[in-house]
Amino acid sequence: MPEGPASSDTPDMRTEDGVRLGPLSDSLGFLLRIAQLQAFRDFYEGFETFGLRPGEMTVLLLIAENPGIRQGLLARALMIKRAHMTKMVQGFEEAGLVRRTVPDSDRRSVELWLTEAGAGRVRAVRGPLLAHEARSGSGMTPEDAATLRSLLQRYLRLDAEP
């Protein structure tokens, strides 16, 4: 196997273990996925005691931020398959964290609300979540981390409230 990069256009980027990435060095999808896995590794270590996976925590946090959000809208916003969202919400309901209601205006929809236990769980994870976020950019300066967040927000076409 040759020692140099795959082509003269591709930088010879390597992992900490020396694995050459070749054209994947410039792949936004690949880099985002590896970054996600790295962030999740720290997440699982820090949130083991809460019994929540990253997606579950995200759903609870967004219900807290958007009381009464329609389940389908939340699923679309998080790109979670409808069946998977339904199963997750059922688990939350069985655990006493979420309450579902059906609005009179649209009997096909389901609105999601945190219960007191769910709100307590969200309050309990906020501090550890902030600490996790502070650690997740540890290889960057605070300015670099802010730039990365800003670029990802733009990439995802997220809008700030006016």
Side-chain angles (χ1 to χ4, degrees), residues 42-82:
D42 181 63
F43 178 94
Y44 282 114
E45 291 170 7
F47 289 85
E48 191 172 5
T49 59
F50 294 103
L52 290 173
R53 293 183 295 242
E56 294 168 337
M57 180 182 289
T58 301
V59 168
L60 288 176
L61 287 167
L62 289 185
I63 295 171
E65 290 293 322
N66 303 276
I69 190 169
R70 303 251 169 132
Q71 184 172 317
L73 177 61
L74 182 58
R76 279 192 308 277
L78 295 175
M79 297 182 211
I80 296 174
K81 291 180 182 176
R82 193 175 209 96

